[in-house]
Amino acid sequence: MSNHPISIIGLGAVSPAGWGVASLFDAVSNGKVIPASELERPGWSRGLPVRKVPPPPSRPAFLAHPRLRRASPISHFTVAAALEALGNPQVPSPAPNLGIIFCTMAGPLNYTRRFYTEALRDPATASPMLFPETVLNAPASHLAALLGVTGPVYTLIGDDTAPLSALALAAQWLNTGKVERCLVVASEELDWLPADAFRLFLHDHIAAEGAGALLLARHHEPSPSQWMAVTDPFNYAMPGGNRVAVQSIRKQCQTWDAPTALLCDSRIGIPRRDRAENEAWSNWPGQRWSPRCILGDALTASSVWQAVLAAAAVSSKSFTQAVVHVAGCNHQAVAALCSSRE
Amino acid sequence: MLFQAGQHGVGVPAARVVITGAGIITALGKGWAVNEAGFRQGRPAFRPVTLFDASRQRAKTAAEVDLPQQNPPPRIPLHEWRRWDRANHLLYHAAQEAWQQAGWESHSPITTVLGTTSAGMARGEEYFRHATTQPHQFRGQPGRGLHYQAQRQALNVQKALGFHGPTIFIANACASGANAIGHAFDLIRCGLAERILTGGYDAISQLVFCGFDSLQSLSTTQCRPFDRRRDGLALGEGAAILALETEASARRRGAQILGEIAGYGASTDVHHLTQPHPEGNAALQAMQEATQTAGITPEQIGYINAHGTGTPLNDSAEAAAIQRWAGSPAKLPRVSSTKGVIGHLLGAAGAVEAVICLMALHGQWLPPNAGWEESDPACNLPIVTKPEDATFEYALSNSFGFGGANASLVLRRFS
């Protein structure tokens, strides 16, 4: 029995460009760089340059849900992106055959930092309200509760390649009949801790936040675009490190090259970080988008934006197919192919 | 390719997934032999917390691991070895034992699937304390920032053992280790991998200890799963890693087969972020799916290693689920929780408990439920109260976590 392509039947995004896929697509396809703002950090007079998600145009209805009242921004972004991918239902109906794969790298850091600050001050009075929200799978749990999902819900962690591993996992679940539909969501929230940490390695790094979501279905469900392949991830433990890993990915996707294809890559606009990706993909024959250069680096959320943009670009018939390539910040590299169903 | 439309593979007749290597480190010690002896006797391994100041906490004990002192492996320079987090060392010890026992060589990429809840949280805590008290001093901070992350820990272990390959981390709270093994089982079973190194790991950290203490989930007396007087869980730390492969691969290599992963079920409890549904609905779903995947009925399970944290709500909900799953009291298999011995290992729990089931199946004995003295009508189960031998072919291991993440594994004796 053979694997079938995976139908992409819904997209969602929350990004520094705004709430919704339309604003994400407009910013990246037109190269409208989002201005950076400052994030305060203790002990410094100057803040860190970051790209924040703007306030929503109106208060999202899902905030009335008891699970989400106290939840942190990462959960709000997760739910907003997922609901958009599901078609923004007023009242989400129970989805018994839906699986959820949630990805994050930094996780719910706002509450983690607050809780640990309290623990250091006096562990006897640290708030029990905060701790459950620090757990990495809290956003996925809230989303599952909102949607009534009782089937498989995984939280994948790792570097920014996790969402592409999630696409492959979703394909497995769909092709083996474990689920009828699958939401792949990735989300990150801004916090000075990781934003500061990244600048220890890349001085000009600009952190960002947000989420993206893809609603995937089995091949028989009609859709304008579909996932055709996800490469093997090549990790940086291999001899030659990230350069060889990215080159290995490039070799696996050589047959995906086409002048009418889009490459949605993970460059962030800092030459030292982008070197491996620039070298390996220098002969790409088609157009190339680098969303992180426009929106900032939101880790796994940026990677899922790449996937959302690829699907949106193919669905709009601007391109025949799109390649998503992620050279993860410290773990592995991986790529995926999205194509039109026509 | 991880996934390719048109690629043959998914849906091929299910391969048998066998275990050819198992590594374990807990508060009982490092390695199969010392752990088998401790679990067989049900010998608790708790002591006052030494890793941080717990004087202002309600609970003051945990099952800490005495990390073996050893030189770095040949491929790891000393300066890198010193940066490894405690959790990384736990992971390495378990992975090394499993790797050596399996007799795998590093000539081709091998997939790694790991579960953890907090990876190198203690390193993250150090990073935070340094960043807030000495914000203009960066010495050591890049190392702390890097080695806090799970993916770095996996890379370190792969480098130390001399292999590389795709890595997947599942962070499904206390079910993470079981989910990781279950996912590895799924990948091999449907033809997407031939060999996988899988399991779970977690180290005790101040943040997590304080978190459970703030929820008043920690026992202030003794961890007594399923006992009428139970008053909470106790935390532990450790790691367990399994080398899984197709039966065909193991036979081709002439490897010793220790046991088999026969079934896996995963479900989600949407009742509450931190509390299980009182009737254990999602737990029941996971157990049913695991036995269905294994193609067996509940009567064929000879032993259940329960999640059994020792909290009032978890144990009664799990007992309800086990009773519903079995169908009638006469069909209930023997049950014990091993958390009264080594505590709750969070992301490592499911993996460590799978290895305990493997040991029990291999040696045909049942691990006693340490701390159990008085039966609770709300947990009416045939608890294993003292060390005993048994003849059984299948064991079920339950892991239920925060956020409603539930997973069950079925292990089979290999004969």
Side-chain angles (χ1 to χ4, degrees):
Chain A
M1 194 173 151
S2 297
N3 272 326
H4 293 293
I6 299 303
S7 296
I8 305 167
I9 60 170
L11 300 173
V14 176
S15 75
W19 293 63
V21 174
S23 50
L24 173 77
F25 192 83
D26 177 52
V28 175
S29 61
N30 293 307
K32 295 178 186 168
V33 176
I34 307 297
S37 55
E38 281 208 349
L39 182 70
E40 216 175 288
R41 62 177 160 168
W44 297 84
S45 54
R46 283 188 61 190
L48 294 158
V50 295
R51 293 194 170 104
K52 296 178 187 172
V53 168
S58 58
R59 183 180 161 80
F62 63 74
L63 290 179
H65 191 278
R67 278 283 199 104
L68 291 159
R69 280 202 308 264
R70 283 196 304 267
S72 61
I74 189 171
S75 293
H76 295 168
F77 300 154
T78 299
V79 169
L83 289 180
E84 187 187 5
L86 288 162
N88 279 322
Q90 287 300 307
V91 182
S93 53
N97 292 315
L98 179 70
I100 296 174
I101 306 170
F102 169 71
C103 307
T104 190
M105 180 173 165
L109 261 176
N110 292 182
Y111 278 28
T112 305
R113 181 177 47 73
R114 281 172 59 187
F115 182 78
Y116 191 54
T117 302
E118 290 191 9
L120 287 177
R121 197 177 300 134
D122 182 1
T125 59
S127 170
M129 310 291 264
L130 295 178
F131 179 63
E133 297 290 343
T134 70
V135 182
L136 286 162
N137 67 331
S141 171
H142 293 321
L143 179 59
L146 185 76
L147 301 177
V149 171
T150 58
V153 175
Y154 280 9
T155 292
L156 303 187
I157 58 168
D159 75 358
D160 27 0
T161 53
L164 298 200
S165 299
L167 290 181
L169 175 56
Q172 181 204 333
W173 284 1
L174 291 162
N175 274 319
T176 56
K178 206 179 189 82
V179 295
E180 291 283 335
R181 290 179 169 189
C182 188
L183 262 173
V184 170
V185 194
S187 187
E188 306 283 355
E189 63 187 13
L190 273 173
D191 192 277
W192 68 264
L193 262 180
D196 198 31
F198 268 95
R199 290 173 71 86
L200 295 172
F201 300 92
L202 296 165
H203 186 261
D204 298 322
H205 184 264
I206 298 181
E209 63 181 351
L214 298 112
L215 180 61
L216 307 175
R218 292 186 193 171
H219 184 58
H220 61 77
E221 290 208 43
S223 67
S225 57
Q226 57 190 358
W227 291 109
M228 298 299 293
V230 179
T231 66
D232 290 321
F234 285 88
N235 80 21
Y236 302 161
M238 62 194 301
N242 70 332
R243 286 178 78 171
V244 173
V246 173
Q247 282 162 9
S248 304
I249 295 293
R250 181 69 180 111
K251 272 186 201 154
Q252 274 206 1
C253 341
Q254 209 81 51
T255 56
W256 302 348
D257 287 17
T260 53
L262 170 71
L263 170 62
C264 221
D265 68 31
S266 58
R267 292 182 299 178
I268 61 173
I270 299 175
R272 188 158 62 89
R273 159 74 197 276
D274 296 342
R275 189 178 302 138
E277 207 165 359
N278 278 332
E279 283 175 6
W281 292 87
S282 60
N283 59 350
W284 173 255
Q287 202 171 325
R288 191 165 176 168
W289 290 353
S290 304
R292 284 170 171 82
C293 296
I294 307 284
L295 303 160
D297 185 6
L299 311 174
T300 61
S302 291
S303 305
V304 84
W305 293 335
Q306 289 174 247
V308 166
L309 287 162
V314 170
S315 299
S316 69
K317 302 193 189 309
S318 311
F319 301 92
T320 53
Q321 60 184 41
V323 176
V324 176
H325 175 256
V326 181
C329 61
N330 60 18
H331 184 207
Q332 56 193 8
V334 65
L337 175 67
C338 174
S339 76
S340 161
R341 279 192 80 141
E342 289 168 8
Chain B
M1 293 277 178
L2 270 188
F3 156 66
Q4 187 166 24
Q7 178 187 44
H8 185 73
V10 170
V12 295
R16 285 180 78 176
V17 180
V18 299
I19 303 164
T20 54
I24 183 168
I25 182 167
T26 69
L28 289 169
K30 179 193 166 192
W32 177 293
V34 67
N35 275 282
E36 182 177 33
F39 288 118
R40 198 163 183 169
Q41 291 162 24
R43 176 165 45 87
F46 298 97
R47 69 182 183 201
V49 173
T50 62
L51 294 168
F52 46 84
D53 177 12
S55 60
R56 291 278 297 157
Q57 308 281 5
R58 291 170 67 252
K60 294 174 174 54
T61 59
E64 293 180 348
V65 172
D66 286 319
L67 276 175
Q69 294 298 314
Q70 71 174 79
N71 292 324
R75 298 178 187 89
I76 305 294
L78 184 60
H79 69 276
E80 269 188 44
W81 178 250
R82 285 179 176 150
R83 288 189 196 129
W84 284 25
D85 176 76
R86 185 174 180 79
N88 205 156
H89 285 285
L90 294 170
L91 172 62
Y92 172 67
H93 286 301
Q96 184 194 34
E97 185 183 9
W99 181 266
Q100 285 177 349
Q101 192 172 23
W104 285 357
E105 290 168 2
S106 50
H107 53 83
S108 58
I110 291 173
T111 300
T112 308
V113 184
L114 296 172
T116 184
T117 63
S118 56
M121 184 57 81
R123 268 293 178 272
E125 291 172 356
E126 277 175 31
Y127 181 93
F128 175 78
R129 291 195 300 266
H130 188 99
T132 48
T133 55
Q134 304 170 64
H136 299 273
Q137 302 294 322
F138 304 117
R139 190 179 166 82
Q141 285 294 73
R144 293 184 192 105
L146 262 184
H147 288 268
Y148 150 75
Q149 297 173 56
Q151 61 269 28
R152 180 61 184 218
Q153 295 168 349
L155 284 178
N156 286 340
V157 169
Q158 290 171 348
K159 190 173 171 187
L161 297 176
F163 76 100
H164 63 89
T167 312
I168 297 169
F169 289 96
I170 300 178
N172 271 17
C174 309
S176 304
N179 281 128
I181 294 171
H183 179 53
F185 164 74
D186 275 347
L187 287 174
I188 294 175
R189 199 162 157 264
C190 64
L192 292 169
E194 190 172 57
R195 293 181 199 176
I196 297 181
L197 199 65
T198 182
Y201 69 106
D202 258 326
I204 291 172
S205 66
Q206 186 179 17
L207 186 148
V208 173
F209 190 95
C210 183
F212 279 96
D213 200 59
S214 74
L215 292 170
Q216 303 195 7
S217 299
L218 297 184
S219 169
T220 54
T221 57
Q222 180 193 355
C223 177
R224 298 181 182 94
F226 300 114
D227 184 276
R228 190 182 61 77
R229 299 162 304 155
R230 67 189 183 279
D231 65 350
L233 60 88
L235 286 176
E237 60 183 352
I241 296 294
L242 294 173
L244 300 186
E245 56 190 303
T246 59
E247 184 189 7
S249 163
R251 291 206 184 279
R252 202 167 52 237
R253 300 189 307 112
Q256 185 197 357
I257 295 173
L258 304 171
E260 181 180 352
I261 303 289
Y264 167 54
S267 65
T268 305
D269 185 342
V270 295
H271 174 69
H272 189 272
L273 182 59
T274 59
Q275 293 172 12
H277 186 282
E279 294 299 316
N281 288 351
L284 173 65
Q285 188 183 327
M287 294 163 72
Q288 286 174 332
E289 190 182 323
T291 38
Q292 280 162 12
T293 317
I296 59 170
T297 57
E299 296 98 300
Q300 290 175 268
I301 297 283
Y303 165 67
I304 296 179
N305 187 297
H307 186 57
T309 57
T311 61
L313 292 178
N314 172 83
D315 292 4
S316 57
E318 184 173 11
I322 291 173
Q323 286 160 355
R324 290 167 67 196
W325 165 83
S328 80
K331 293 178 184 170
L332 280 168
R334 307 299 301 283
V335 178
S336 71
S337 163
T338 41
K339 290 186 173 72
V341 175
I342 53 163
H344 191 347
L345 273 58
L346 307 178
V352 164
E353 290 159 13
V355 170
I356 297 167
C357 287
L358 179 66
M359 289 171 171
L361 283 163
H362 198 254
Q364 295 287 282
W365 50 270
L366 300 178
N369 192 113
W372 188 93
E373 286 174 356
E374 290 183 36
S375 66
D376 179 355
C379 304
N380 195 8
L381 297 170
I383 300 289
V384 183
T385 58
K386 57 181 189 306
E388 57 182 276
D389 293 332
T391 303
F392 63 115
E393 190 180 354
Y394 291 97
L396 180 79
S397 179
N398 283 339
S399 297
F400 308 137
F402 258 29
N406 289 357
S408 296
L409 294 167
V410 172
L411 288 93
R412 185 182 187 187
R413 184 185 189 203
F414 199 85
S415 54

